[in-house]
Amino acid sequence: MERTTTVIPQADVERQLDCCRKIAALTAQWDKQPLAFVDTYGCQQNEADSERIRGYLAQMGFGFTDDEEQARIIVINTCAIREHAEQRVLGNVGALVHVKRRHPEQLICLCGCMMQEQHVADKIRQSYRHVDLVFGPHALWKFPEMIHTLLTQRGRIFSNADEAGSIAEGIPVVRQDSVKAWVSIMYGCNNFCAYCIVPYVRGRERSRKPEDILAEVRALVAEGYKDITLLGQNVNSYGKDMEEPMDFSDLLEQVNAIPGDFLIRFMTSHPKDATHKLFETMARCEKVAPVLHLPVQAGNDRVLKVMNRRHTREQYLEKIRDLKSLIPDIVLTSDIIVGFPGETTEEFEDTLKVLEEVRYDALFTFIFSPRVGTPAAKMDDPMSHQEKLANFNRLLALQDAISEEKHAAYIGKTVRCLIDGESDDARYDLTARTPGNRLVRVVGDKSAIGQFRDVKITDANKWSLFGELV
Ligand code: SAH
Ligand code: SF4
Ligand code: F3S
């Protein structure tokens, strides 16, 4: 499965923008402005892709709605990471058959990681005949030409070939937020963790050029963005595929040097590639937020090996110790899988030991879900779901206790937070984020949204902090 990166020539992206203009000329003649509904599942990478789809749609003359009845085009950007995510998507797509019956002119488009799985695309072709367009992440850049074909001819389009991953610059974006922004710095993954579908659906690692990334960040800062997250499945291997050697720490340093008052975050980091140089760079760069998401997945060396994570528990813990010695107030988070095939309860308890030693601020926890085509899906999995669930609940209980203690330690402190929106809890006006990305619900005036402000922390629970503007 040798695949190399395709850099999409600028002329090809221009051709897509021409297509947008042709579509805009068509839609301008319709009796009212057409609307599009873009629904996103999965990780930030998908959120970022949806912002590019919205960017293209806006150039085609579309406005946006959250009501599928009002939409001329529905785009569902899907995630394949666990079975539950796939089931939800299929359920929602199935229900759209009724909506489309009421609005036969509607175009229903499915994209994202699930569509890059051939067995899913086949199922859509056969059993979901109301779906007009299916495309995988590799084909996103040619969304306009596919829409143009569908608007001018009848038929269905399936564009999900297992081709080389691409990089396309110059695609317009419509961002969902005016304070926080995602910036993809690389695409794909080379790691092939035994349970994971991502390398199969997102292709091999490929890095954007530093000058393109820096230009995007500079433009965001000029627009007033305050919180910028550099995205990739494994940002620590940034640049390894480039001709001129440059690593992620060098990139961080250059982003940090961009003038302005803003925070830099990044995700995700793979422990095997997280280096002392990275930790030192984080400590030195004042705009880099004191937070690291460093997924450990499991705490037992045998399980880590079968997972193909390529590090031991002790190597992981040593990195955490090094990082804590450089940044004592570092906020740490992790992903954990419970019930990997063959993991015994005794081995699972090694994961609990890692929690006790690291004391994460928060965790993202998952029960193993077999994914077609991955090695783990073929492994013997003797443990019952009930037993896995019991272990899962032990993990949650331990983490809840740790999160609660860590959050309680904020009470009485004044923390410079980014006020990022309105609170949905009526007792508080605003939401904010600490530099370490902990959620704070804040009493104060809405005019503070989009600013860094001192917040006095008055209360806390296991999920969040509470406070007031100073
Ligand atoms: N690239 C990132 C995250 C990838 S997906 C990383 O390497 O950390 C996010 C998380 O989903 C993973 O960290 C893992 O904990 C979880 N995950 C991935 N595949 C899974 C599966 N088959 N079953 C359960 N959880 C899974
Ligand atoms: Fe999946 Fe592993 Fe790649 Fe993360 S590093 S995307 S878990 S294969
Ligand atoms: Fe899901 Fe694809 Fe992200 S599988 S987690 S949307 S990379």
Side-chain angles (χ1 to χ4, degrees):
M1 205 178 27
E2 194 48 49
R3 289 187 281 194
T4 48
T5 303
T6 313
V7 176
I8 308 299
Q10 221 39 54
D12 287 0
V13 177
E14 275 307 319
R15 204 156 40 82
Q16 299 304 319
L17 296 173
D18 278 342
C19 248
C20 289
R21 285 186 279 272
K22 274 194 242 162
I23 298 168
L26 274 177
T27 57
Q29 290 164 18
W30 297 355
D31 29 330
K32 58 176 194 236
Q33 189 196 23
L35 300 177
F37 174 36
V38 182
D39 197 10
T40 312
Y41 294 78
C43 64
Q44 288 84 354
Q45 193 68 67
N46 257 17
E47 296 287 348
D49 283 351
S50 285
E51 293 183 338
R52 296 198 289 169
I53 291 169
R54 283 197 191 86
Y56 270 145
L57 284 163
Q59 304 267 312
M60 297 173 196
F62 282 78
F64 297 98
T65 175
D66 286 336
D67 177 1
E68 48 211 25
E69 299 284 343
Q70 303 292 327
R72 180 71 168 75
I73 293 186
I74 296 180
V75 182
I76 304 187
N77 192 1
T78 65
C79 169
I81 202 79
R82 283 171 293 276
E83 185 164 4
H84 177 68
E86 295 207 347
Q87 294 301 338
R88 271 174 56 215
V89 166
L90 290 177
N92 289 349
V93 174
L96 287 179
V97 90
H98 308 292
V99 182
K100 184 149 179 177
R101 213 165 276 149
R102 290 189 283 276
H103 311 283
E105 76 294 350
Q106 204 165 49
L107 290 182
I108 299 183
C109 314
L110 304 186
C111 61
C113 296
M114 242 175 113
M115 299 305 129
Q116 203 67 51
E117 295 180 284
Q118 196 50 47
H119 69 101
V120 175
D122 289 344
K123 186 167 178 171
I124 301 291
R125 194 191 289 275
Q126 274 139 35
S127 312
Y128 295 76
R129 301 202 60 85
H130 57 297
V131 173
D132 302 282
L133 170 61
V134 164
F135 61 99
H138 301 323
L140 186 150
W141 68 275
K142 40 187 176 182
F143 179 61
E145 77 180 51
M146 298 186 279
I147 291 294
H148 187 255
T149 305
L150 289 170
L151 286 175
T152 52
Q153 301 161 30
R154 291 263 89 184
R156 305 172 84 195
I157 298 178
F158 283 75
S159 182
N160 64 333
D162 185 21
E163 56 199 338
S166 58
I167 292 188
E169 295 294 344
I171 296 180
V173 291
V174 169
R175 296 184 193 265
Q176 286 299 85
D177 198 288
S178 54
V179 183
K180 300 188 213 179
W182 316 114
V183 174
S184 296
I185 62 164
M186 59 190 298
Y187 307 98
C189 182
N190 289 355
N191 288 318
F192 289 94
C193 300
Y195 47 82
C196 186
I197 193 77
V198 171
Y200 304 89
V201 294
R202 287 265 175 191
R204 292 300 70 71
E205 281 172 7
R206 48 217 189 265
S207 305
R208 286 178 71 195
K209 289 201 201 94
E211 54 270 30
D212 291 328
I213 297 167
L214 293 169
E216 187 172 344
V217 176
R218 264 189 228 107
L220 288 166
V221 172
E223 278 177 61
Y225 282 89
K226 300 283 184 221
D227 184 312
I228 289 170
T229 303
L230 307 177
L231 282 185
Q233 291 301 342
N234 176 16
V235 292
N236 301 141
S237 59
Y238 175 79
K240 286 187 181 163
D241 57 320
M242 293 192 314
E243 273 161 31
E244 277 175 49
M246 166 171 203
D247 71 13
F248 180 62
S249 304
D250 302 331
L251 179 71
L252 263 189
E253 195 116 32
Q254 293 186 16
V255 176
N256 189 69
I258 295 174
D261 189 12
F262 66 99
L263 274 179
I264 305 163
R265 308 180 189 284
F266 54 89
M267 69 187 304
T268 299
S269 293
H270 193 301
K272 77 175 164 55
D273 302 311
T275 57
H276 181 70
K277 180 180 174 191
L278 171 70
F279 303 154
E280 256 182 1
T281 307
M282 290 174 69
R284 194 176 52 244
C285 292
E286 74 289 352
K287 289 172 191 147
V288 174
V291 53
L292 186 67
H293 181 59
L294 196 64
V296 69
Q297 312 294 359
N300 176 273
D301 284 345
R302 189 198 68 81
V303 176
L304 283 169
K305 191 160 179 27
V306 192
M307 282 181 163
N308 193 30
R309 291 292 288 178
R310 286 177 277 172
H311 62 80
T312 63
R313 172 166 85 161
E314 190 45 39
Q315 284 164 341
Y316 180 92
L317 291 173
E318 189 45 45
K319 292 195 188 210
I320 296 283
R321 283 181 216 121
D322 185 25
L323 175 58
K324 281 182 175 170
S325 74
L326 288 166
I327 312 176
D329 62 348
I330 186 84
V331 167
L332 290 164
T333 60
S334 181
D335 294 347
I336 292 199
I337 297 177
V338 175
F340 184 79
E343 183 185 56
T344 64
T345 291
E346 208 181 349
E347 288 170 335
F348 159 76
E349 283 166 356
D350 288 337
T351 302
L352 298 181
K353 287 184 200 140
V354 170
L355 260 62
E356 270 155 3
E357 173 154 356
V358 177
R359 295 180 54 79
Y360 295 107
D361 294 72
L363 278 188
F364 301 88
T365 49
F366 312 100
I367 292 185
F368 170 73
S369 169
R371 309 283 64 216
V372 174
T374 63
K378 296 186 210 91
M379 292 177 189
D380 255 2
D381 192 3
M383 191 184 274
S384 71
H385 182 71
Q386 226 168 358
E387 224 175 320
K388 290 186 182 186
L389 204 58
N391 287 342
F392 186 76
N393 288 333
R394 282 175 73 190
L395 181 76
L396 290 192
L398 176 59
Q399 183 56 42
D400 281 353
I402 295 172
S403 294
E404 198 161 352
E405 269 176 50
K406 295 203 89 165
H407 283 168
Y410 283 87
I411 297 175
K413 290 189 179 154
T414 296
V415 185
R416 187 173 184 259
C417 293
L418 176 60
I419 313 295
D420 63 357
E422 291 183 28
S423 171
D424 52 8
D425 175 336
R427 292 166 299 164
Y428 297 89
D429 309 296
L430 306 166
T431 59
R433 291 281 171 173
T434 67
N437 216 23
R438 308 318 301 144
L439 171 66
V440 196
R441 295 190 186 279
V442 183
V443 177
D445 194 78
K446 296 204 166 78
S447 62
I449 292 174
Q451 299 173 6
F452 287 105
R453 294 285 294 269
D454 280 340
V455 174
K456 177 148 197 234
I457 308 296
T458 52
D459 203 359
N461 63 22
K462 64 186 175 200
W463 296 291
S464 59
L465 309 172
F466 304 91
E468 56 203 28
L469 286 185
V470 173

